[in-house]
DNA sequence: GAATTCGATGTAACCGAATACATGTATTCG
DNA sequence: CGAATACATGTATTCGGTTACATCGAATTC
């Protein structure tokens, strides 16, 4: 099917040398094997003339490395992960690696498939945002390979896994406390996700700690659950509207849902923030597009992606061995929705 | 570095057969080579026991196929391309292919790098949204390989290139005509991109045709240029604001810039659509988030992605040979900004 | 001047699968 | 009953590189 691309053998023939000599010229970094300037020139000329390109599959087979790392994010349509992915790609590019990006869409099956791909394709390293894989399953995965493994967002305690995390619990605690104090709200609601999903539990805990410390109580009527998406936020707001009963403020677990909440509340004639204040989490680009602009907790996806990738390549290239656990900062961004 | 994964040879040894027999059991579901049920069972048991996984590099080297297609889009942070990418991935998944996604960010250098990767990694097929590559360069690329090549968005006339396109010229023409007629605007501005970038010229032509046919003239003061991004839209609006002179309507070449325009105009106290009506193109998710919601021309990225991928796999698997040129529909979505 | 070293290159083995071809046994047919 | 034919499997080769090792003339050492 494919036109046969020129191989090293073709180059060698044209340059009048043996095939390994071509290999040596092209991977010149190893000074241990000297090559005469004249040969080098002839080889390079032949490479140029034929438009030779190395065959990555062949090289990978021999060297057992693919110059590729795999990145699994939770949702490619979420601006947060896009920026993170791009940061990872930028770092990888500097190291001459490609990145295979996968989106799990929060589905177990996709995370499993991802692991499968990593093994079959011999990825050299993994960065992932695990959602449904248990620590046990990740351990099982790690037993089949020795590649570096970096993870975002959970306090995972495994000697082989490097972690970058944001302290959500504290972030939401502080933001909620600020919100309560500022607005002297009497009742605050929460739109979360099932506690089994990584950020779900920590953020819920931060929220409830702030609420109870302020002497308020968690009102079950205002504890809602969604699925991270805009639609999920809309549905959550819809149930409030149907009940006709509102808290004076809502802390939403991520921006996309927070925006959905705002849009739906407004459609029902409820004013934000006057009737209901809304706070998000992530600071995605859309947060500055909604009106009122979204008050939220900013994470820095570029910084996170960079930390993740840098950890990975530290192991990959400098043979780092000490386990790393890095915290990435957050910051309360006060806009107009709360 | 990596723990040696079990190979076919290991499986063979455990099952007491030869390596090719394992290969036959695993991928020769075609009946041409018969295998006894007993052997098959023993092999499968061994595969299971060892957790054997095929080595993709080795297979690729031998078969000259990688079960991977490459997708180059213009901008991963644009919701339109995200949806398109996902549609492509879905189709690919059904055919048991992986997708290597790359974002050119409209840069020539990234498009070149993409082509390089395609050749080195032996991708089986390519889908791309070319921005800066000339038809001549694409032809040169195609001479080095025989893989199927599908492109979005330009009327490219090359026997080896399948095309999916949206008739932007007509779309903008109709939308602009509708706008003029409805709002009885006296002056209409345009925020485009440099004409050298694919959608730039066609959309500009559609716009100017509508304007002149309506008996209006193109006012150079209101012909602006951006770079597809939110920031680009903001800058365009900013120059208008600095001049203090506004058209009564603006046709913007894509939604992201249109949203930037709206936000910046509003900040300067200009009302949309009352003072200036704004119309976009794409119908990205954010179009329903801005207020006023964006009136725009919808393209269907899922449909486009599906058409692209389907064309590709038609060639890849069914050995299709006739060149395909497919049109994908557009639709005027009337919301509140115009 | 013989021995040793070094510089430059060739030879051969290997990575893990796929596949053309060879082999040997059981089955069928004339 | 011998030859042809399935059937089931093994042997050898190949894909395109990398790398350990061998070679061999020239330079250096003693």
């Amino acid at each position: 099917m494919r036109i046969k691309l020129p191989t090293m053998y073709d180059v060698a023939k044209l340059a009048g040398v043996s095939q390994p000599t071509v290999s040596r010229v092209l991977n010149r970094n190893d000074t241990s094997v000297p090559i005469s300037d004249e040969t080098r020139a002839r080889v390079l000329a032949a490479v140029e003339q034929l438009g030779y390109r190395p065959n990555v599959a062949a090289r990978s087979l021999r060297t057992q490395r693919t110059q590729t790392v795999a990145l699994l994010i939770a949702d490619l349509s979420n601006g947060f992960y896009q920026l993170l992915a791009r940061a990872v790609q930028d770092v990888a590019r500097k190291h001459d690696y490609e990145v295979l990006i996968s989106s799990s869409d929060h589905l177990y099956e996709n995370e499993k498939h991802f692991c499968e791909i990593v093994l079959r394709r011999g990825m050299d390293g993994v960065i992932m945002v695990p959602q449904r894989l248990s620590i046990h399953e990740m351990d099982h995965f790690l037993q089949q390979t020795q590649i570096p493994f970096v993870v975002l967002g959970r306090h995972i305690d495994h000697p082989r896994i490097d972690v970058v995390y944001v302290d959500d619990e504290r972030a939401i605690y502080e933001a909620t406390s600020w919100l309560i104090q500022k607005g002297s709200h009497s009742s605050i609601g929460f739109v979360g996700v099932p506690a089994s999903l990584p950020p779900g539990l920590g953020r819920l805990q931060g929220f409830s700690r702030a609420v109870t410390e302020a002497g308020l109580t968690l009102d079950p009527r205002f504890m809602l659950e969604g699925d991270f998406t805009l639609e999920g936020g809309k549905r959550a707001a819809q149930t409030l509207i149907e009940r006709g009963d509102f808290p004076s403020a809502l802390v939403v677990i991520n921006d996309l849902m927070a925006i959905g909440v705002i849009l739906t509340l407004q459609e029902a004639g409820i004013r934000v923030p006057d009737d209901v204040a809304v706070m998000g989490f992530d600071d995605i680009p859309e947060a500055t597009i909604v009106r009122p602009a979204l008050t939220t907790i900013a994470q820095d996806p570029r910084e996170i992606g960079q930390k993740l990738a840098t950890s990975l390549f530290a192991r990959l290239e400098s043979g780092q061995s000490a386990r790393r656990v890095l915290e990435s900062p957050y910051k309360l961004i006060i806009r107009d929705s709360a």
Side-chain angles (χ1 to χ4, degrees), chain A residues 19-249:
Chain A
Q19 175 259 321
T21 297
V22 178
S23 175
R24 287 177 197 122
V25 169
L26 295 179
N27 309 322
R28 80 292 179 202
N29 30 355
D30 103 15
T31 40
S32 65
V33 181
I35 289 165
S36 75
D37 289 349
E38 201 251 321
T39 302
R40 178 186 307 278
R42 277 217 318 283
V43 168
L44 290 177
V47 163
E48 187 67 22
Q49 186 181 332
L50 294 177
Y52 167 78
R53 287 179 178 80
N55 177 318
V56 173
R59 172 180 291 169
S60 299
L61 178 57
R62 183 62 234 247
T63 62
Q64 304 287 48
R65 332 186 80 243
T66 50
Q67 295 290 109
T68 311
V69 298
L71 169 65
L72 180 76
I73 58 185
D75 181 4
L76 191 54
S77 61
N78 185 321
F80 177 78
Y81 292 113
Q82 289 156 24
L83 293 170
L84 187 154
R86 170 159 318 192
V88 169
Q89 257 179 338
D90 289 346
V91 176
R93 182 71 63 93
K94 284 204 191 86
H95 291 259
D96 249 312
Y97 275 70
E98 292 298 312
V99 181
L100 185 71
I101 302 175
S102 250
S103 175
S104 72
D105 300 331
H106 308 282
L107 296 178
Y108 176 76
E109 150 192 313
N110 288 338
E111 297 193 358
K112 282 306 247 186
H113 180 254
F114 174 81
C115 293
E116 194 63 29
I117 293 298
V118 166
L119 293 174
R120 291 166 110 100
R121 307 219 159 209
M123 303 283 102
D124 294 342
V126 171
I127 297 176
M128 74 183 293
V129 185
Q131 299 276 308
R132 323 217 73 137
L133 283 187
S134 67
I135 176 80
H136 179 265
E137 284 169 307
M138 294 174 56
D139 181 73
H140 178 253
F141 171 83
L142 281 166
Q143 275 165 18
Q144 318 198 26
T145 176
Q146 211 121 269
I147 59 176
F149 196 96
V150 185
V151 151
L152 166 66
R154 288 205 294 191
H155 293 268
I156 287 182
D157 191 25
H158 189 292
R160 293 265 315 278
I161 304 181
D162 286 342
V163 175
V164 174
Y165 72 99
V166 173
D167 190 345
D168 327 67
E169 201 273 345
R170 198 153 56 89
I172 288 242
Y173 168 78
E174 288 177 7
T176 305
S177 300
W178 170 85
L179 185 65
I180 293 173
Q181 194 186 349
K182 176 222 176 200
S184 54
H185 295 282
S186 54
S187 64
I188 299 199
F190 185 75
V191 181
V193 295
S196 61
L197 292 177
L201 189 57
R203 296 188 189 176
L204 175 58
Q205 286 174 331
F207 172 77
S208 63
R209 185 158 67 94
V211 169
T212 50
E213 277 189 16
L216 301 175
T217 52
L218 296 175
D219 187 333
R221 288 175 306 162
F222 302 143
M223 300 301 287
L224 301 160
E225 255 180 25
D227 60 358
F228 296 104
T229 69
L230 190 73
E231 289 308 315
K234 289 186 174 178
R235 277 192 296 271
Q238 199 58 48
T239 64
L240 285 180
I241 290 165
E242 277 160 19
R243 294 188 200 146
D245 208 5
F246 303 91
S248 63

